[in-house]
Every structure is written in structure tokens, then in C-alpha cells.
Amino acid sequence: MKMYPVESAVVTACHSGLGGTGDIAILSASNRMELMPFAQISTRIGGAGMVVLAALLLKVVH
């Protein structure tokens, strides 16, 4: 994607934010609102990944 390391770290931090509100808070604090599309994708993929991981762990435990 040819992003700078700091920008990719900010987008990765959005993965663990509070959804859209967390994305806005993180991006506005870092003055990088132009990265909003990448943050939204990161949030969606991260949330789906966590649901799949939780389901797999529950299947293994029980």
C-alpha cells in the first residue's frame, strides 16, 4: 500500500478502537483523518477476525 510506518501503525491501532467512534478519535488525535477508509477496513476485518477466533477457541475448550 506504500504507507509510511507511522501511518500503518495508526491504522493498526484503529483495529482495537471502539468501532467508528474510536477510529475518529484515534485519527483526529494523530491528525490523519485522510486515513479513515483504511481505518474502517481495519476495524471491520479485525472485528470479524476476533469473532472467528473466539468461536474456534470455544470449540476447542468445550
Side-chain angles (χ1 to χ4, degrees):
M1 297 233 132
K2 298 182 181 179
M3 295 175 74
Y4 291 109
V6 173
E7 290 178 339
S8 60
V10 168
V11 170
T12 303
C14 290
H15 160 71
S16 58
L18 298 170
T21 306
D23 292 345
I24 292 171
I26 292 168
L27 294 176
S28 63
S30 62
N31 199 19
R32 304 276 189 196
M33 289 300 289
E34 66 273 5
L35 296 176
M36 182 58 84
F38 299 105
Q40 289 292 316
I41 291 170
S42 174
T43 301
R44 304 271 190 259
I45 291 174
M50 294 308 280
V51 168
V52 170
L53 180 66
L56 290 174
L57 287 175
L58 283 173
K59 185 176 181 180
V60 170
V61 172
H62 290 280

